[in-house]
């Protein structure tokens, strides 16, 4: 994918173009998209006022969801739908809303960060900068390597496939013809859950506690012993395993390569690197994990910490800004294909009781056939 001049990481703009068109964009096309998003990045005063009046104790994701909902006043789809546009034009207005929302999200996210953790000041958008560079500047970071990290982070967390909570929620709510602002806000409520978007924060807490217990320069043998004690104590090793992947998450690999290039001697990275060699063999030996390999969350927190973005409760907001690229590209295609309202299959109480009885019978006699949980 195209990169910024002098940079080595892909531009998230190129990811959105690829997901939306199926084609890898040229450098000129990506530059044009960067300028387009910069021109759409301003947010209405009522959203600025809303964020500025949130208490600092309010979780950043709660602020993020509320601000996205408040942005719905800008929805071109909602206005056009109310005027009676034909279905054949739904995708066009969905696309325009998606472009506007993606352009505004970094400003919203940066304002939340600056208000919650800093002095509330926010720099202006520079139309000559790419999407990630403007975001890094608005957050208050001027290290070019942090900007490169943002380009990588925002690219690899886009994840447009529909099996995860946030992506599926945007598709589900969007199927009701809720506009992209409402659908994306709903998806972000899902992303805020501990089993979804908070995973990288939990990994970082675990790593920090691990380092405090065993110190730096720990041997792999000592680390292996600690991992076994963790598992025998009924706990898990966060950041390892994935519901779909059966190999090392390529997003983990991309972050590892970034760390090897930019922070090879960082103690936290060295700990993560040792875990990469120690944990999978232990999990394989234990025999419970279908996938013993690290996922994207096993690495991202330490990179952000290294460059000074230490407020872990904010990390899911960064995740959300990136996730917009994938889910809004998909939502545009949902409207282009005219996909119908999604109606999940119902499961009656009587059927559920029957399944429980059959499951109990199966556990008593494992040679019997176990019925699928979704059969009535």
């Amino acid at each position: 994918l195209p990169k910024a001049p002098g940079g080595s990481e892909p531009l998230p703009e190129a990811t959105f173009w690829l997901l939306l068109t199926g084609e890898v964009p040229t450098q000129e096309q990506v530059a044009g998209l960067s300028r387009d998003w910069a021109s759409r990045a301003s947010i209405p005063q009522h959203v600025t006022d809303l964020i500025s009046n949130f208490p600092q104790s309010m979780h950043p994701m709660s602020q993020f969801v509320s601000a996205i909902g408040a942005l719905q006043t800008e929805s071109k789809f909602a206005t056009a739908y109310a005027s009676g546009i034909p279905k054949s034009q739904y995708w066009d207005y969905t696309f325009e809303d998606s472009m506007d929302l993606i352009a505004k999200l970094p400003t919203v996210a940066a304002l939340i960060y600056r208000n919650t953790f800093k002095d509330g000041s926010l720099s202006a958008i520079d139309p000559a900068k790419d999407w990630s560079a403007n975001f890094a500047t608005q957050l208050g970071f001027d290290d070019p390597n942090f900007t490169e990290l943002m380009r990588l982070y925002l690219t690899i967390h886009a994840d447009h496939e529909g099996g995860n909570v946030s992506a599926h929620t945007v598709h589900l709510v969007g199927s009701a013809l809720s506009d992209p602002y409402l659908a994306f806000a709903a998806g972000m409520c899902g992303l805020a859950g501990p089993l979804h978007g908070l995973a990288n924060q939990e990994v970082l807490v675990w790593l920090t506690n691990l380092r405090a217990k065993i110190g730096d320069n720990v041997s792999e043998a000592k680390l292996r012993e600690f991992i076994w004690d963790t598992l025998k104590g009924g706990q898990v090793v966060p950041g390892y395993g994935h519901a779909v992947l059966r190999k090392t998450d390529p997003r983990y690999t991309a972050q590892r390569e970034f760390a090897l290039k930019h922070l090879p001697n960082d103690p936290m990275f060295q700990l993560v690197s040792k875990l990469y060699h120690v944990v999978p063999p232990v999990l394989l030996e234990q025999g419970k994990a279908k996938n013993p390999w690290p996922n994207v969350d096993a690495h991202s927190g330490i990179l952000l910490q290294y460059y000074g973005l230490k407020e872990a409760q904010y990390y899911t907001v960064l995740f959300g800004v990136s996730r917009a690229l994938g889910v809004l590209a998909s939502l545009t295609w949902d409207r282009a294909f005219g996909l119908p309202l999604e109606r999940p299959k119902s499961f009656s109480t009587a059927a559920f009781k029957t399944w429980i009885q059959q499951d109990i019978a199966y556990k008593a006699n494992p040679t019997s056939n176990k019925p699928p949980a979704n059969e009535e």
Side-chain angles (χ1 to χ4, degrees):
L1 293 175
K3 302 170 178 58
S8 58
E9 301 301 335
L11 288 166
E13 293 92 322
T15 301
F16 181 71
W17 187 293
L18 175 63
L19 294 176
L20 199 60
T21 70
E23 299 178 355
V24 175
T26 65
Q27 197 74 40
E28 292 75 20
Q29 288 170 328
V30 169
L33 184 53
S34 295
R35 290 191 298 270
D36 191 343
W37 284 353
S39 71
R40 300 170 183 249
S42 63
I43 60 176
Q45 188 61 46
H46 72 268
V47 176
T48 299
D49 293 342
L50 178 70
I51 297 171
S52 298
N53 284 303
F54 285 144
Q56 289 185 320
S57 59
M58 187 175 182
H59 194 283
M61 279 302 288
S62 297
Q63 297 186 48
F64 194 49
V65 170
S66 300
I68 295 165
L71 276 173
Q72 195 267 347
T73 55
E74 311 306 295
S75 175
K76 296 170 183 174
F77 178 90
T79 300
Y81 183 84
S83 71
I85 59 167
K87 290 183 178 180
S88 61
Q89 294 181 19
Y90 286 177
W91 77 270
D92 194 3
Y93 290 96
T94 299
F95 169 73
E96 286 299 321
D97 271 4
S98 298
M99 289 283 284
D100 286 342
L101 181 52
I102 290 171
K104 298 176 190 305
L105 284 176
T107 299
V108 168
L111 185 57
I112 291 170
Y113 179 76
R114 300 295 302 177
N115 278 346
T116 304
F117 304 109
K118 304 299 179 181
D119 61 2
S121 63
L122 191 70
S123 61
I125 290 290
D126 183 348
K129 289 183 177 180
D130 60 81
W131 191 60
S132 305
N134 267 314
F135 188 23
T137 300
Q138 287 192 302
L139 286 170
F141 294 86
D142 55 10
D143 186 334
N145 287 335
F146 179 81
T147 300
E148 278 284 89
L149 175 60
M150 281 294 95
R151 291 173 180 138
L152 174 63
Y153 187 100
L154 296 173
T155 294
I156 65 176
H157 285 82
D159 192 13
H160 71 292
E161 61 91 14
N164 59 72
V165 170
S166 56
H168 180 67
T169 300
V170 174
H171 167 77
L172 172 64
V173 176
S175 76
L177 297 186
S178 300
D179 62 69
Y181 294 90
L182 297 178
F184 185 68
M188 291 303 94
C189 288
L191 188 67
L195 295 183
H196 191 10
L198 293 187
N200 62 353
Q201 181 179 329
E202 294 179 344
V203 169
L204 184 61
V205 170
W206 185 81
L207 287 171
T208 302
N209 292 337
L210 171 60
R211 185 184 177 197
K213 290 179 180 179
I214 64 177
D216 296 329
N217 302 315
V218 63
S219 67
E220 290 193 1
K222 182 67 175 178
L223 193 55
R224 175 183 169 86
E225 179 183 336
F226 182 88
I227 297 303
W228 267 118
D229 289 343
T230 298
L231 296 173
K232 290 176 181 178
Q235 298 174 297
V236 299
V237 180
Y240 281 77
H242 193 277
V244 177
L245 294 175
R246 294 296 176 262
K247 61 180 182 179
T248 298
D249 191 331
R251 299 169 298 174
Y252 174 94
T253 303
Q255 293 178 100
R256 175 174 170 79
E257 291 173 351
F258 182 94
L260 286 168
K261 179 179 179 181
H262 296 287
L263 49 140
N265 298 318
D266 176 62
M268 286 292 277
F269 169 62
Q270 291 182 343
L271 177 59
V272 167
S273 191
K274 287 179 181 178
L275 288 168
Y276 179 55
H277 294 292
V278 170
V279 173
V282 171
L283 293 178
L284 284 173
E285 186 177 344
Q286 184 195 35
K288 292 184 178 181
K290 293 181 180 179
N291 170 32
W293 311 108
N295 59 50
V296 64
D297 298 311
H299 216 308
S300 56
I302 68 159
L303 298 178
L304 296 168
Q305 288 270 311
Y306 178 81
Y307 287 105
L309 207 167
K310 298 181 181 295
E311 298 84 3
Q313 63 175 315
Y314 181 77
Y315 292 173
T316 313
V317 176
L318 296 178
F319 195 161
V321 173
S322 173
R323 182 50 53 91
L325 301 174
V327 300
L328 293 177
S330 292
L331 189 62
T332 301
W333 276 107
D334 289 350
R335 299 289 74 77
F337 285 129
L339 297 185
L341 177 69
E342 184 173 313
R343 292 182 180 275
K345 184 179 179 181
S346 298
F347 195 62
S348 68
T349 303
F352 185 72
K353 289 181 178 179
T354 299
W355 175 75
I356 291 294
Q357 292 168 351
Q358 292 173 334
D359 189 62
I360 293 173
Y362 169 78
K363 289 178 179 177
N365 180 18
T367 59
S368 63
N369 293 325
K370 184 178 182 180
N374 64 344
E375 285 190 359
E376 294 191 33

